[in-house]
Amino acid sequence: MLLTADTDADLEVFLTEVGRHLAGIGAQVSIDLYVDEEIADPGARRLYEELRRTVREERERAGGREWRRESYTGVPLDLGSGDGLTAFVRLAHRTIGSEAVLADRIVFSAVENERIVWLPLPGADVDRLVARAREAGALSLAPVPPKP
């Protein structure tokens, strides 16, 4: 199911619920730390820059190999940790891509600047996540209408 929200704040409320669910089912989550346009939200931009710096430092220490630009692709996020969940919530929809995989099947995907997420999960799971997000204040959350 494709879902959208009118505001980043509403989408972040929803992504909090999605992130907790993905952690609970053991999905492997990654994010590509690239953007086509500068992140407008100052807090999210700061988090993005900090995460890129951390990734670069960790990868440089991990073997002394030459740093390459593509090293920001497929950065794993541990949604069971507070920092990992925060990065997912604030950045998944603001970077060029984020996805979650469970048993070799994509169960979540988001693309930069679209405020749209794809959740190919069982309908009951998606309905529960949407209901929780709406209860938490994400009132503009809605399915993406099919294209004519």
Side-chain angles (χ1 to χ4, degrees):
M1 174 179 282
L2 288 172
L3 295 151
T4 189
D6 291 341
T7 67
D8 287 323
D10 279 0
L11 190 55
E12 288 178 12
V13 169
F14 181 58
L15 289 175
T16 299
E17 297 301 329
V18 170
R20 290 176 181 152
H21 179 75
L22 294 172
I25 63 174
Q28 301 297 309
V29 179
S30 65
I31 191 167
D32 296 335
L33 293 175
Y34 298 101
V35 294
D36 289 326
E37 297 176 20
E38 184 175 328
I39 296 173
D41 178 273
R45 184 175 53 247
R46 192 170 33 258
L47 178 60
Y48 169 78
E49 291 165 357
E50 290 171 4
L51 190 53
R52 281 179 59 102
R53 186 173 39 255
T54 298
V55 166
R56 182 177 183 144
E57 290 169 357
E58 287 175 359
R59 292 190 173 173
E60 284 177 338
R61 281 194 304 266
R65 65 176 173 78
E66 181 181 328
W67 174 256
R68 295 183 311 229
R69 181 169 160 77
E70 65 271 12
S71 296
Y72 292 121
T73 301
V75 174
L77 293 177
D78 175 8
L79 298 187
S81 77
D83 289 344
L85 182 60
T86 298
F88 176 77
V89 167
R90 300 297 317 274
L91 299 176
H93 63 292
R94 290 182 166 109
T95 63
I96 63 165
S98 179
E99 68 181 23
V101 176
L102 181 65
D104 295 327
R105 189 176 74 108
I106 295 176
V107 293
F108 168 85
S109 181
V111 178
E112 176 183 25
N113 297 327
E114 293 186 7
R115 248 191 241 130
I116 296 173
V117 298
W118 178 51
L119 275 173
L121 293 169
D125 288 351
V126 174
D127 291 344
R128 218 173 6 262
L129 294 170
V130 168
R132 286 185 196 148
R134 286 186 178 140
E135 287 171 10
L139 301 181
S140 72
L141 189 62
V144 174
K147 293 184 179 184

